[in-house]
Amino acid sequence: MPSRLEPEPIPRRDFLGLAGLWTAALAIFGSVVGMVRLTKPSVLPEGGSRFRIGRAEEITPGTSLTLPEQKVLVTSEERGISAISLVCTHLGCIVSPTENGFSCPCHGSGFGPDGKVLGGPAPRALRWLEVTQAVDGRLVIDGSREVEPGTFYKA
Ligand code: FES
């Protein structure tokens, strides 16, 4: 006689039927979760990020400053201050500054010092970003506003 301590064994046919049902239920559940996730982007576009850096006089002319969090390279030279996005125009990897410009580690695109494409699959040049000055005198870079390559902010 079966008891709670010694339950009656499940017949093999019933066990396989139950296993099939649970497998189908899991597959349906996984599909529903996948369909719901498809409606939400897993890679968010770069937001309209405005951020402040130091004052123009604090940036030594002839130097560059990499801002890894903002993915921007700020350069100060005689013509003024410029900001170039470090986001590759191919698939969005972060390019690294090199002696001759920039290189992308993902698919090998190369960019000149002004961001122009020198080789690789990147379809267009790196974006130059608008640099302005805030009321408090600090420089503001607007990641959502692209300017013509070669545009410098003159303090
Ligand atoms: S993401 Fe830079 S070359 Fe593909």
Side-chain angles (χ1 to χ4, degrees), residues 127-155:
R127 298 180 328 127
W128 283 57
L129 305 174
E130 183 183 74
V131 181
T132 55
Q133 191 171 27
V135 178
D136 64 1
R138 293 168 65 198
L139 295 173
V140 177
I141 297 174
D142 192 338
S144 65
R145 300 196 65 166
E146 189 172 346
V147 295
E148 283 293 313
T151 304
F152 290 86
Y153 174 77
K154 197 80 175 157

mmCIF file of all heavy atoms in Angstrom, residues 127-155:
data_model
loop_
_atom_site.group_PDB
_atom_site.id
_atom_site.type_symbol
_atom_site.label_atom_id
_atom_site.label_comp_id
_atom_site.label_asym_id
_atom_site.label_seq_id
_atom_site.Cartn_x
_atom_site.Cartn_y
_atom_site.Cartn_z
ATOM 1 N N ARG A 127 32.788 62.027 -35.047
ATOM 2 C CA ARG A 127 32.000 63.250 -34.875
ATOM 3 C C ARG A 127 32.775 64.299 -34.066
ATOM 4 O O ARG A 127 33.370 63.974 -33.042
ATOM 5 C CB ARG A 127 30.691 62.933 -34.152
ATOM 6 C CG ARG A 127 29.813 61.992 -34.901
ATOM 7 C CD ARG A 127 28.508 61.677 -34.190
ATOM 8 N NE ARG A 127 28.576 61.680 -32.746
ATOM 9 C CZ ARG A 127 27.753 62.386 -31.968
ATOM 10 N NH1 ARG A 127 26.800 63.112 -32.491
ATOM 11 N NH2 ARG A 127 27.869 62.338 -30.666
ATOM 12 N N TRP A 128 32.741 65.506 -34.548
ATOM 13 C CA TRP A 128 33.259 66.638 -33.772
ATOM 14 C C TRP A 128 32.076 67.197 -32.989
ATOM 15 O O TRP A 128 30.981 67.341 -33.540
ATOM 16 C CB TRP A 128 33.828 67.718 -34.687
ATOM 17 C CG TRP A 128 35.173 67.380 -35.245
ATOM 18 C CD1 TRP A 128 35.503 66.284 -35.970
ATOM 19 C CD2 TRP A 128 36.359 68.151 -35.121
ATOM 20 N NE1 TRP A 128 36.824 66.313 -36.307
ATOM 21 C CE2 TRP A 128 37.378 67.457 -35.802
ATOM 22 C CE3 TRP A 128 36.669 69.357 -34.507
ATOM 23 C CZ2 TRP A 128 38.678 67.929 -35.888
ATOM 24 C CZ3 TRP A 128 37.961 69.837 -34.590
ATOM 25 C CH2 TRP A 128 38.960 69.125 -35.271
ATOM 26 N N LEU A 129 32.298 67.506 -31.726
ATOM 27 C CA LEU A 129 31.206 67.937 -30.852
ATOM 28 C C LEU A 129 31.324 69.420 -30.517
ATOM 29 O O LEU A 129 32.423 69.978 -30.470
ATOM 30 C CB LEU A 129 31.214 67.099 -29.570
ATOM 31 C CG LEU A 129 31.161 65.574 -29.791
ATOM 32 C CD1 LEU A 129 31.316 64.847 -28.472
ATOM 33 C CD2 LEU A 129 29.881 65.173 -30.498
ATOM 34 N N GLU A 130 30.173 70.007 -30.272
ATOM 35 C CA GLU A 130 30.136 71.442 -29.971
ATOM 36 C C GLU A 130 30.767 71.735 -28.609
ATOM 37 O O GLU A 130 30.472 71.068 -27.624
ATOM 38 C CB GLU A 130 28.689 71.918 -29.966
ATOM 39 C CG GLU A 130 28.558 73.404 -29.736
ATOM 40 C CD GLU A 130 27.117 73.823 -29.673
ATOM 41 O OE1 GLU A 130 26.470 73.542 -28.648
ATOM 42 O OE2 GLU A 130 26.633 74.401 -30.652
ATOM 43 N N VAL A 131 31.619 72.723 -28.590
ATOM 44 C CA VAL A 131 32.228 73.200 -27.349
ATOM 45 C C VAL A 131 31.780 74.639 -27.149
ATOM 46 O O VAL A 131 31.898 75.459 -28.052
ATOM 47 C CB VAL A 131 33.777 73.149 -27.409
ATOM 48 C CG1 VAL A 131 34.381 73.640 -26.093
ATOM 49 C CG2 VAL A 131 34.260 71.747 -27.728
ATOM 50 N N THR A 132 31.214 74.930 -25.989
ATOM 51 C CA THR A 132 30.794 76.290 -25.662
ATOM 52 C C THR A 132 31.297 76.622 -24.259
ATOM 53 O O THR A 132 31.927 75.786 -23.610
ATOM 54 C CB THR A 132 29.253 76.430 -25.699
ATOM 55 O OG1 THR A 132 28.697 75.441 -24.834
ATOM 56 C CG2 THR A 132 28.709 76.247 -27.102
ATOM 57 N N GLN A 133 30.975 77.809 -23.812
ATOM 58 C CA GLN A 133 31.391 78.203 -22.473
ATOM 59 C C GLN A 133 30.158 78.505 -21.632
ATOM 60 O O GLN A 133 29.252 79.228 -22.079
ATOM 61 C CB GLN A 133 32.300 79.432 -22.538
ATOM 62 C CG GLN A 133 32.972 79.739 -21.223
ATOM 63 C CD GLN A 133 34.026 80.825 -21.370
ATOM 64 O OE1 GLN A 133 33.935 81.672 -22.249
ATOM 65 N NE2 GLN A 133 35.025 80.779 -20.521
ATOM 66 N N ALA A 134 30.122 77.951 -20.432
ATOM 67 C CA ALA A 134 28.992 78.193 -19.535
ATOM 68 C C ALA A 134 29.159 79.547 -18.848
ATOM 69 O O ALA A 134 30.223 80.160 -18.925
ATOM 70 C CB ALA A 134 28.913 77.078 -18.496
ATOM 71 N N VAL A 135 28.129 79.990 -18.153
ATOM 72 C CA VAL A 135 28.160 81.277 -17.455
ATOM 73 C C VAL A 135 29.270 81.304 -16.405
ATOM 74 O O VAL A 135 29.903 82.333 -16.183
ATOM 75 C CB VAL A 135 26.778 81.529 -16.790
ATOM 76 C CG1 VAL A 135 26.790 82.828 -16.011
ATOM 77 C CG2 VAL A 135 25.682 81.522 -17.834
ATOM 78 N N ASP A 136 29.534 80.155 -15.801
ATOM 79 C CA ASP A 136 30.581 80.119 -14.768
ATOM 80 C C ASP A 136 31.992 80.060 -15.363
ATOM 81 O O ASP A 136 32.975 79.944 -14.642
ATOM 82 C CB ASP A 136 30.357 78.935 -13.815
ATOM 83 C CG ASP A 136 30.471 77.583 -14.509
ATOM 84 O OD1 ASP A 136 30.734 77.550 -15.727
ATOM 85 O OD2 ASP A 136 30.294 76.563 -13.824
ATOM 86 N N GLY A 137 32.101 80.134 -16.671
ATOM 87 C CA GLY A 137 33.415 80.172 -17.321
ATOM 88 C C GLY A 137 33.955 78.809 -17.710
ATOM 89 O O GLY A 137 34.976 78.712 -18.387
ATOM 90 N N ARG A 138 33.277 77.756 -17.284
ATOM 91 C CA ARG A 138 33.769 76.418 -17.638
ATOM 92 C C ARG A 138 33.269 76.041 -19.027
ATOM 93 O O ARG A 138 32.220 76.507 -19.479
ATOM 94 C CB ARG A 138 33.289 75.402 -16.591
ATOM 95 C CG ARG A 138 33.945 75.649 -15.239
ATOM 96 C CD ARG A 138 33.296 74.882 -14.130
ATOM 97 N NE ARG A 138 33.459 73.455 -14.327
ATOM 98 C CZ ARG A 138 32.719 72.547 -13.706
ATOM 99 N NH1 ARG A 138 31.785 72.917 -12.876
ATOM 100 N NH2 ARG A 138 32.925 71.275 -13.924
ATOM 101 N N LEU A 139 34.048 75.194 -19.692
ATOM 102 C CA LEU A 139 33.686 74.759 -21.040
ATOM 103 C C LEU A 139 32.620 73.675 -20.956
ATOM 104 O O LEU A 139 32.628 72.842 -20.048
ATOM 105 C CB LEU A 139 34.915 74.227 -21.765
ATOM 106 C CG LEU A 139 36.004 75.263 -22.024
ATOM 107 C CD1 LEU A 139 37.245 74.581 -22.601
ATOM 108 C CD2 LEU A 139 35.516 76.355 -22.954
ATOM 109 N N VAL A 140 31.714 73.714 -21.905
ATOM 110 C CA VAL A 140 30.630 72.740 -21.966
ATOM 111 C C VAL A 140 30.743 71.996 -23.289
ATOM 112 O O VAL A 140 30.876 72.613 -24.350
ATOM 113 C CB VAL A 140 29.250 73.427 -21.880
ATOM 114 C CG1 VAL A 140 28.136 72.396 -22.013
ATOM 115 C CG2 VAL A 140 29.127 74.199 -20.593
ATOM 116 N N ILE A 141 30.702 70.691 -23.227
ATOM 117 C CA ILE A 141 30.693 69.869 -24.442
ATOM 118 C C ILE A 141 29.323 69.232 -24.544
ATOM 119 O O ILE A 141 28.818 68.650 -23.587
ATOM 120 C CB ILE A 141 31.797 68.795 -24.398
ATOM 121 C CG1 ILE A 141 33.155 69.483 -24.357
ATOM 122 C CG2 ILE A 141 31.695 67.871 -25.606
ATOM 123 C CD1 ILE A 141 34.317 68.552 -24.173
ATOM 124 N N ASP A 142 28.728 69.371 -25.708
ATOM 125 C CA ASP A 142 27.404 68.812 -25.938
ATOM 126 C C ASP A 142 27.544 67.595 -26.856
ATOM 127 O O ASP A 142 27.786 67.732 -28.053
ATOM 128 C CB ASP A 142 26.495 69.863 -26.574
ATOM 129 C CG ASP A 142 25.046 69.420 -26.569
ATOM 130 O OD1 ASP A 142 24.800 68.195 -26.469
ATOM 131 O OD2 ASP A 142 24.163 70.281 -26.665
ATOM 132 N N GLY A 143 27.392 66.418 -26.267
ATOM 133 C CA GLY A 143 27.551 65.178 -27.022
ATOM 134 C C GLY A 143 26.490 64.946 -28.077
ATOM 135 O O GLY A 143 26.640 64.095 -28.937
ATOM 136 N N SER A 144 25.413 65.703 -28.024
ATOM 137 C CA SER A 144 24.347 65.502 -28.999
ATOM 138 C C SER A 144 24.420 66.502 -30.152
ATOM 139 O O SER A 144 23.632 66.440 -31.075
ATOM 140 C CB SER A 144 22.988 65.624 -28.316
ATOM 141 O OG SER A 144 22.810 66.942 -27.854
ATOM 142 N N ARG A 145 25.344 67.456 -30.066
ATOM 143 C CA ARG A 145 25.437 68.479 -31.121
ATOM 144 C C ARG A 145 26.744 68.327 -31.878
ATOM 145 O O ARG A 145 27.812 68.606 -31.350
ATOM 146 C CB ARG A 145 25.317 69.872 -30.517
ATOM 147 C CG ARG A 145 23.982 70.028 -29.803
ATOM 148 C CD ARG A 145 23.672 71.432 -29.549
ATOM 149 N NE ARG A 145 23.482 72.120 -30.819
ATOM 150 C CZ ARG A 145 22.933 73.308 -30.923
ATOM 151 N NH1 ARG A 145 22.545 73.932 -29.846
ATOM 152 N NH2 ARG A 145 22.802 73.887 -32.095
ATOM 153 N N GLU A 146 26.610 67.893 -33.105
ATOM 154 C CA GLU A 146 27.778 67.709 -33.952
ATOM 155 C C GLU A 146 28.095 69.016 -34.672
ATOM 156 O O GLU A 146 27.181 69.744 -35.060
ATOM 157 C CB GLU A 146 27.484 66.593 -34.963
ATOM 158 C CG GLU A 146 28.693 66.168 -35.736
ATOM 159 C CD GLU A 146 28.426 64.927 -36.590
ATOM 160 O OE1 GLU A 146 27.393 64.264 -36.381
ATOM 161 O OE2 GLU A 146 29.250 64.654 -37.463
ATOM 162 N N VAL A 147 29.369 69.289 -34.821
ATOM 163 C CA VAL A 147 29.788 70.485 -35.556
ATOM 164 C C VAL A 147 30.673 70.042 -36.720
ATOM 165 O O VAL A 147 31.096 68.888 -36.799
ATOM 166 C CB VAL A 147 30.544 71.480 -34.639
ATOM 167 C CG1 VAL A 147 29.623 72.027 -33.568
ATOM 168 C CG2 VAL A 147 31.761 70.825 -34.012
ATOM 169 N N GLU A 148 30.943 70.955 -37.621
ATOM 170 C CA GLU A 148 31.800 70.653 -38.757
ATOM 171 C C GLU A 148 33.191 70.281 -38.263
ATOM 172 O O GLU A 148 33.704 70.898 -37.315
ATOM 173 C CB GLU A 148 31.931 71.895 -39.644
ATOM 174 C CG GLU A 148 30.733 72.161 -40.526
ATOM 175 C CD GLU A 148 30.559 71.098 -41.586
ATOM 176 O OE1 GLU A 148 31.545 70.725 -42.251
ATOM 177 O OE2 GLU A 148 29.419 70.632 -41.736
ATOM 178 N N PRO A 149 33.814 69.273 -38.892
ATOM 179 C CA PRO A 149 35.190 68.967 -38.514
ATOM 180 C C PRO A 149 36.058 70.219 -38.685
ATOM 181 O O PRO A 149 35.893 70.980 -39.641
ATOM 182 C CB PRO A 149 35.589 67.870 -39.515
ATOM 183 C CG PRO A 149 34.306 67.243 -39.911
ATOM 184 C CD PRO A 149 33.279 68.352 -39.884
ATOM 185 N N GLY A 150 36.948 70.438 -37.745
ATOM 186 C CA GLY A 150 37.802 71.624 -37.814
ATOM 187 C C GLY A 150 37.211 72.804 -37.083
ATOM 188 O O GLY A 150 37.736 73.912 -37.190
ATOM 189 N N THR A 151 36.120 72.599 -36.352
ATOM 190 C CA THR A 151 35.520 73.688 -35.590
ATOM 191 C C THR A 151 36.161 73.738 -34.212
ATOM 192 O O THR A 151 36.163 72.759 -33.480
ATOM 193 C CB THR A 151 34.000 73.470 -35.436
ATOM 194 O OG1 THR A 151 33.421 73.338 -36.722
ATOM 195 C CG2 THR A 151 33.352 74.616 -34.684
ATOM 196 N N PHE A 152 36.721 74.895 -33.883
ATOM 197 C CA PHE A 152 37.381 75.062 -32.593
ATOM 198 C C PHE A 152 36.663 76.144 -31.802
ATOM 199 O O PHE A 152 36.163 77.117 -32.379
ATOM 200 C CB PHE A 152 38.848 75.459 -32.778
ATOM 201 C CG PHE A 152 39.688 74.340 -33.331
ATOM 202 C CD1 PHE A 152 39.764 74.139 -34.699
ATOM 203 C CD2 PHE A 152 40.381 73.498 -32.493
ATOM 204 C CE1 PHE A 152 40.522 73.107 -35.235
ATOM 205 C CE2 PHE A 152 41.144 72.457 -33.003
ATOM 206 C CZ PHE A 152 41.219 72.261 -34.375
ATOM 207 N N TYR A 153 36.643 75.962 -30.498
ATOM 208 C CA TYR A 153 36.106 77.004 -29.642
ATOM 209 C C TYR A 153 37.267 77.893 -29.221
ATOM 210 O O TYR A 153 38.254 77.423 -28.668
ATOM 211 C CB TYR A 153 35.436 76.434 -28.394
ATOM 212 C CG TYR A 153 35.009 77.508 -27.442
ATOM 213 C CD1 TYR A 153 33.868 78.246 -27.704
ATOM 214 C CD2 TYR A 153 35.761 77.806 -26.321
ATOM 215 C CE1 TYR A 153 33.485 79.265 -26.852
ATOM 216 C CE2 TYR A 153 35.396 78.828 -25.468
ATOM 217 C CZ TYR A 153 34.253 79.550 -25.738
ATOM 218 O OH TYR A 153 33.894 80.568 -24.912
ATOM 219 N N LYS A 154 37.152 79.178 -29.522
ATOM 220 C CA LYS A 154 38.190 80.138 -29.164
ATOM 221 C C LYS A 154 37.746 80.869 -27.919
ATOM 222 O O LYS A 154 36.722 81.550 -27.931
ATOM 223 C CB LYS A 154 38.399 81.104 -30.340
ATOM 224 C CG LYS A 154 39.673 81.855 -30.282
ATOM 225 C CD LYS A 154 40.820 81.013 -30.772
ATOM 226 C CE LYS A 154 42.088 81.861 -30.818
ATOM 227 N NZ LYS A 154 43.277 81.085 -30.748
ATOM 228 N N ALA A 155 38.491 80.699 -26.834
ATOM 229 C CA ALA A 155 38.114 81.335 -25.556
ATOM 230 C C ALA A 155 38.396 82.823 -25.613
ATOM 231 O O ALA A 155 39.260 83.289 -26.293
ATOM 232 C CB ALA A 155 38.864 80.692 -24.427
#
